[in-house]
Amino acid sequence: MEISFYKYQGTGNDFVMIDDRSATFPEKNLPLVQKLCDRKFGIGADGLILIRNKEGYDFEMIYFNADGSQSMCGNGARCAVAFSRFLGIIDNETKFLAIDGPHKAKVVDGWVELGMSPVSSLANAGQDFFVNTGSPHHVRFVENVNEYPVVQTGSEIRYADQYAPKGTNVNFVTPISQNEIQVRTYERGVENETLSCGTGVTACALVYGYQNQLHEVNISTPGGKLKVRFSENADGSFQNILLIGPAEQVFHGKINVII
Ligand SMILES: N[C@H](CCC[C@H](N)C(=O)O)C(=O)O
């Protein structure tokens, strides 16, 4: 079977993107998803995204982590918007469906402004925090994130009993200035550090913004810069959450696979 794909990246979080409006990709074939995401035996990516038709929406994005598991992906959603615009499915505004529900997005000066799902609350997790921004995130503030053992400590928390059986993503944060933080992330389903995590930086920005009475936070990740804007409600919930950043096409290719 020949599969045509595009490779996209959003601040270094990279994805195999497939125009599957024909709904012919065998999405239940998780070994195929794993193979396509494998950096030695396949194309190589943190995840794989199918773009499908969906009644009432411009498109539906179906996201798979590299291990075949599914969740909401913020950087992937920004890439899905850019890819759908490239395919001519949308112009500069869209309403699409993802695993955590409907999303609106706009393309502004080449960056994608993605509306994230509302967040009901920030929770304490020991000395740290836990936030679900469409996918689960443990957030730990550390002295110097550049020196922190992200993979070792990240995997320990990801597999901790408190998060069993589904696990969580794990983010480590060091404030850089009054309205900027540096974030490194261990991602569930990739089972490694990624260069950035969209739902993860959103979780970190909400915690930091709450602590510092901010409604806009700049985030520096190893893969590039992102911005998160949001408003806070009296009950401690958050809405009008925007994840803003670049999403770029890297290459187009075809791959022959045996299914
Ligand atoms: N690994 C995450 C999903 C992808 C999140 C990340 N790539 C993003 O940009 O939000 C999880 O299993 O919950």
Side-chain angles (χ1 to χ4, degrees), residues 125 128-130 136-140 157 162-163 168-171:
D128 304 332
F129 300 88
F130 178 79
H137 288 278
H138 184 103
V139 176
R140 172 171 294 179
I157 297 170
Q162 72 190 86
Y163 291 118
T168 183
N169 302 282
V170 189
N171 305 270

Side-chain angles (χ1 to χ4, degrees), residues 85-148:
R85 185 167 182 271
F86 168 77
L87 294 173
I89 299 173
I90 64 169
D91 190 3
N92 288 320
E93 297 200 18
T94 180
K95 180 185 170 192
F96 66 95
L97 187 66
I99 195 169
D100 66 334
H103 291 263
K104 290 183 178 176
K106 282 197 288 191
V107 181
V108 180
D109 299 332
W111 276 29
V112 180
E113 297 186 358
L114 171 70
M116 302 293 280
S117 296
V119 168
S120 56
S121 63
L122 308 180
N124 290 315
Q127 299 296 312
D128 304 332
F129 300 88
F130 178 79
V131 193
N132 191 312
T133 52
S135 55
H137 288 278
H138 184 103
V139 176
R140 172 171 294 179
F141 285 78
V142 299
E143 191 62 36
N144 180 351
V145 73
N146 289 317
E147 307 296 322
Y148 202 82

Side-chain angles (χ1 to χ4, degrees), residues 15-206:
F15 309 98
V16 174
M17 312 290 298
I18 296 172
D19 174 1
D20 195 37
R21 286 178 285 175
S22 61
T24 51
F25 184 90
E27 67 187 89
K28 303 241 185 298
N29 186 336
L30 298 188
L32 173 62
V33 172
Q34 292 161 355
K35 164 80 182 286
L36 294 174
C37 291
D38 190 293
R39 295 192 186 280
K40 302 292 186 203
F41 296 101
I43 302 160
D46 292 332
L48 182 145
I49 295 173
L50 305 179
I51 299 298
R52 289 249 172 96
N53 291 320
K54 185 70 179 181
E55 184 70 30
Y57 299 92
D58 292 322
F59 63 90
E60 178 179 18
M61 72 171 267
I62 298 176
Y63 173 79
F64 297 90
N65 284 310
D67 70 355
S69 59
Q70 289 188 270
S71 186
M72 172 54 186
C73 179
N75 286 329
R78 291 190 298 102
C79 288
V81 170
F83 184 42
S84 297
R85 185 167 182 271
F86 168 77
L87 294 173
I89 299 173
I90 64 169
D91 190 3
N92 288 320
E93 297 200 18
T94 180
K95 180 185 170 192
F96 66 95
L97 187 66
I99 195 169
D100 66 334
H103 291 263
K104 290 183 178 176
K106 282 197 288 191
V107 181
V108 180
D109 299 332
W111 276 29
V112 180
E113 297 186 358
L114 171 70
M116 302 293 280
S117 296
V119 168
S120 56
S121 63
L122 308 180
N124 290 315
Q127 299 296 312
D128 304 332
F129 300 88
F130 178 79
V131 193
N132 191 312
T133 52
S135 55
H137 288 278
H138 184 103
V139 176
R140 172 171 294 179
F141 285 78
V142 299
E143 191 62 36
N144 180 351
V145 73
N146 289 317
E147 307 296 322
Y148 202 82
V150 167
V151 174
Q152 180 190 325
T153 309
S155 56
E156 286 167 4
I157 297 170
R158 178 262 187 268
Y159 286 104
D161 291 346
Q162 72 190 86
Y163 291 118
K166 292 187 174 178
T168 183
N169 302 282
V170 189
N171 305 270
F172 302 98
V173 190
T174 298
I176 299 174
S177 70
Q178 203 262 336
N179 68 346
E180 185 170 3
I181 54 178
Q182 188 177 353
V183 177
R184 292 175 65 192
T185 304
Y186 176 93
E187 263 198 61
R188 174 185 72 168
V190 180
E191 302 312 338
N192 205 338
E193 179 178 1
T194 57
L195 294 182
S196 88
C197 176
T199 49
V201 302
T202 302
C204 299
L206 293 180

